């Protein structure tokens, strides 16, 4: 697709009849609605982490395993989702993912121990990976008014889900920590019924994806560089998401408000601000600068007072939004591998950091003090910036500094795969 030009997007979802973004088949709305709930599940537990720890008599590091198990399974699932969807079709893959989320979200709410909850979150991660990695392709395939309108709708679902997940967790979690899990299961069940009713099976790809295709794609120097840099960045990202709630130690409502504001900034900077900055400065300059600003923000967060920590937590959403967009563009534009395959290989690497940070940050605090986990996260973000600088040539060969364009217009959202 065309990039962002001075005159606007060539593929404008509001051109030719206007309002095409809203004139979508029921199948698209059903899938987009379920996508909102799927993305809500990422930040759902943020406001209730301290409540879960108290309710299950668990330590902070034990409760943080809710993220570790979720994203560890997600990482490995990246090798499986393309294999599955290319064989059984997008509709069946979506329904399988939704069914797993419904079952394991409900089981999470019934957990009697932190070990059970961690295990059920792993099953939830598998279901979410199957659904999220397939939903964008399904929306684009079923949408009316061009792919740009469909992708913009999907991006809106991502932002809404990331912002509203903490709010849902706060509202339901303030009554009882188990209720957000039951609420998610109920909403996903509604999504399952809607997709069953409105979405028809779409054509399968001409070539089936093998389990090793994403690994082979990482043999490209540019894609491998992007994946390794994103690994360090994701460590910083998920230190904010999974460890900061313990540091802020707010009520579920207050914590939900903080992470709602964080999610709004993430969405705005990912969808609106990033393409404009890229058009002016270039992708790698934006990425390197944003990573360094995130590192500085984390240092201030770790050593500031409580009010400063709240402000820096919210502000980090802006840098995370920028990074998500540019990293996804790099992953999808720097190699000649098919985009779903390149995305799977890239995400296979980076999600391991999302699994590691929630486990290591509380452990580092136990071994040292409250400040050091943020120092480590800041160092990780700085390492990511260093990799982008050192590996500049592999990251731009064949992409010519990656002409600025919206990440989602390359076929996937930052969280999609």
């Amino acid at each position: 697709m065309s990039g962002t030009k001075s005159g606007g997007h060539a593929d404008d979802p509001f051109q030719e009849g206007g309002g095409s973004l809203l004139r979508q088949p029921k199948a698209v709305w059903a899938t987009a609605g379920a996508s909102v709930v799927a993305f809500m599940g990422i930040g759902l537990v943020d406001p209730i982490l301290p409540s879960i720890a108290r309710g299950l008599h668990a330590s902070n590091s034990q409760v943080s395993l809710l993220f570790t198990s979720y994203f560890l399974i997600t990482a490995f699932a990246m090798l499986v989702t393309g294999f599955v969807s290319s064989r059984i079709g997008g509709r069946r893959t979506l329904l399988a993912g939704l069914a797993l989320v419904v079952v394991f979200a409900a089981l999470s709410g019934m957990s009697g121990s932190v070990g059970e909850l961690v295990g059920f979150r792993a099953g939830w991660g598998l279901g979410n990976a199957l659904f999220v990695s397939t939903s964008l392709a399904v929306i684009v395939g079923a949408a009316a008014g061009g792919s740009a309108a469909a992708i913009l709708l999907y991006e809106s679902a991502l932002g809404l889900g990331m912002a509203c997940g903490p709010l849902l967790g706060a509202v339901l979690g303030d009554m009882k920590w188990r209720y957000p899990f039951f609420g998610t299961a109920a909403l996903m069940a509604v999504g399952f019924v809607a997709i069953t009713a409105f979405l028809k099976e779409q054509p399968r790809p001409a070539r089936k994806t093998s389990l090793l295709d994403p690994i082979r794609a990482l043999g490209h120097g540019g894609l491998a560089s992007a994946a390794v840099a994103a690994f360090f960045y994701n460590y910083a990202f998920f230190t904010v998401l999974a460890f900061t709630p313990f540091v802020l130690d707010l009520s579920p409502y207050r914590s939900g408000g903080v992470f709602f504001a964080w999610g709004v900034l993430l969405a705005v900077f990912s969808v609106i601000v990033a393409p404009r900055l890229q058009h002016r400065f270039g992708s790698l300059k934006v990425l390197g600068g944003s990573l360094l600003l995130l590192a500085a923000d984390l240092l201030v967060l770790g050593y500031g007072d409580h009010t400063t920590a709240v402000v820096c937590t919210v502000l980090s959403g802006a840098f995370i939004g920028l990074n998500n967009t540019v990293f996804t563009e790099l992953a999808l534009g720097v190699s000649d591998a098919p985009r779903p395959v390149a995305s799977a290989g890239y995400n296979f690497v980076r999600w391991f950091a999302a699994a590691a940070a929630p486990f290591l940050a509380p452990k580092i605090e136990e071994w040292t003090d409250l400040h050091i986990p943020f120092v480590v996260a800041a160092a990780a973000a700085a390492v990511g910036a260093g990799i982008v600088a050192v590996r500049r040539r592999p990251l731009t060969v064949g992409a010519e500094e990656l002409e600025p364009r919206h990440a989602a217009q390359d076929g996937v959202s930052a969280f999609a795969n």
Side-chain angles (χ1 to χ4, degrees):
M1 292 185 185
S2 61
T4 303
K5 304 292 183 185
S6 58
H9 295 294
D11 192 7
D12 191 338
F14 295 104
Q15 289 178 351
E16 297 182 8
S20 61
L21 177 66
L22 302 178
R23 296 176 182 174
Q24 298 295 337
K26 292 179 180 178
V28 173
W29 288 114
T31 307
S35 297
V36 172
V37 182
F39 290 121
M40 286 169 63
I42 295 176
L44 178 81
V45 298
D46 265 19
I48 58 172
L49 286 175
S51 300
I52 294 173
R54 290 190 294 269
L56 294 177
H57 308 289
S59 67
N60 291 353
S61 59
Q62 288 175 317
V63 173
S64 293
L65 290 174
L66 296 178
F67 285 98
T68 296
S69 62
Y70 183 93
F71 286 113
L72 187 63
I73 294 299
T74 298
F76 283 108
M78 290 301 110
L79 303 179
V80 177
T81 53
F83 177 88
V84 172
S85 63
S86 66
R87 285 163 174 79
I88 69 173
R91 181 176 182 272
R92 291 179 179 177
T93 304
L94 288 181
L95 292 175
L98 285 170
L100 286 172
V101 172
V102 170
V103 170
F104 283 104
L107 289 173
S108 295
M110 295 185 284
S111 299
S113 68
V114 69
E116 288 183 5
L117 184 53
V118 169
F120 293 144
R121 278 282 287 182
W124 185 342
L126 175 60
N128 214 51
L130 288 171
F131 176 82
V132 172
S133 64
T134 310
S135 56
L136 177 59
V138 169
I139 288 176
V140 171
S147 59
I151 292 169
L152 183 57
L153 181 64
Y154 185 85
E155 283 283 309
S156 301
L158 185 155
L160 185 62
M162 289 296 293
C164 292
L167 281 185
L168 178 66
V171 171
L172 297 179
D174 191 57
M175 295 181 281
K176 196 171 186 178
W177 69 262
R178 299 178 186 273
Y179 290 170
F181 299 110
F182 294 137
T184 300
L187 289 172
M188 281 304 223
V190 172
F192 184 95
V193 173
I195 288 176
T196 300
F198 299 121
L199 180 64
K200 297 179 180 180
E201 186 57 84
Q202 295 179 309
R204 301 179 190 180
R207 178 183 177 276
K208 294 180 180 179
T209 302
S210 79
L211 292 175
L212 294 179
D213 280 350
I215 301 297
R216 295 190 184 102
L218 290 171
H220 185 279
L223 183 61
S225 299
V228 174
F231 173 91
F232 287 100
Y233 154 63
N234 264 31
Y235 184 93
F237 175 4
F238 284 93
T239 296
V240 173
L241 193 63
F243 181 65
T244 303
F246 296 116
V247 176
L248 300 181
D249 194 24
L250 299 169
S251 68
Y253 273 117
R254 290 178 179 272
S255 183
V258 169
F259 279 96
F260 172 74
W262 170 87
V264 169
L265 274 186
L266 187 154
V268 169
F269 274 74
S270 177
V271 176
I272 299 174
V273 178
R276 288 164 170 76
L277 290 179
Q278 289 173 274
H279 183 79
R280 181 169 182 179
F281 299 108
S283 296
L284 294 189
K285 288 181 180 179
V286 172
L287 182 58
S290 183
L291 284 168
L292 292 176
L293 287 172
L294 177 61
D297 181 79
L298 287 168
L299 287 175
V300 176
L301 195 164
Y303 284 94
D305 59 21
H306 190 267
T307 301
T308 301
V310 170
V311 171
C312 288
T313 298
V314 174
L315 184 60
S316 70
F319 307 129
I320 288 169
L322 291 174
N323 292 330
N324 285 345
T325 291
V326 183
F327 264 124
T328 304
E329 289 191 3
L330 287 174
L332 297 174
V334 75
S335 77
D336 55 1
R339 284 168 180 163
V341 173
S343 179
Y346 160 77
N347 283 287
F348 172 70
V349 174
R350 75 176 182 125
W351 285 126
F352 279 109
F359 174 74
L360 289 177
K363 288 293 185 184
I364 293 171
E365 181 197 11
E366 293 173 8
W367 299 331
T368 56
D369 59 44
L370 185 64
H371 309 298
I372 303 304
F374 294 102
V375 174
V376 174
V383 169
I387 293 172
V388 170
V390 172
R391 300 290 291 171
R392 182 182 185 88
R393 177 174 289 276
L395 286 171
T396 55
V397 168
E400 297 181 3
E401 187 60 36
L402 283 177
E403 181 183 355
R405 58 187 181 269
H406 197 291
Q409 291 180 335
D410 276 330
V412 67
S413 167
F415 281 94
N417 291 302

